[in-house]
């Protein structure tokens, strides 16, 4: 599991939603929600943003600090 999958699972549960309910509200398939919450490494960013939009969030670039 990764930070994104934990975030989605925690937000869904805090709102009292089941995975099928979240999938319906986000306009995605149940399989996508399951893959997202299980931390699948390859997911469509647009679909991830569909889910995050329900919580008032979206994916975006994050600057990484590189050690020299």
């Amino acid at each position: 599991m990764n930070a994104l999958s934990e975030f989605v699972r925690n937000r869904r549960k805090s709102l009292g939603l089941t995975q099928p309910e979240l999938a319906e509200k986000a306009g995605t398939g149940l399989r996508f929600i399951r893959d997202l919450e299980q931390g699948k490494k390859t997911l469509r960013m647009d679909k991830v943003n569909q889910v995050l939009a329900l919580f008032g969030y979206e994916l975006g670039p994050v600057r990484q600090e590189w050690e020299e």
Side-chain angles (χ1 to χ4, degrees):
M1 198 177 308
N2 57 43
L4 178 61
S5 60
E6 287 181 34
F7 174 81
V8 171
R9 176 178 281 144
N10 291 338
R11 293 293 288 188
R12 174 180 62 77
K13 287 184 175 185
S14 73
L15 294 172
L17 296 172
T18 64
Q19 286 181 335
E21 289 169 336
L22 178 58
E24 184 177 339
K25 287 183 179 294
T28 66
L30 176 57
R31 175 65 186 230
F32 179 81
I33 297 298
R34 288 182 176 155
D35 287 347
L36 176 58
E37 288 191 4
Q38 290 173 1
K40 184 177 178 183
K41 298 214 183 271
T42 55
L43 293 169
R44 287 184 43 186
M45 192 170 161
D46 61 329
K47 289 192 172 279
V48 172
N49 276 329
Q50 278 179 242
V51 175
L52 292 178
L54 294 174
F55 309 135
Y57 289 84
E58 69 179 358
L59 288 178
V62 176
R63 183 178 174 94
Q64 293 184 344
E65 297 296 324
W66 296 98
E67 291 184 25
E68 293 184 34

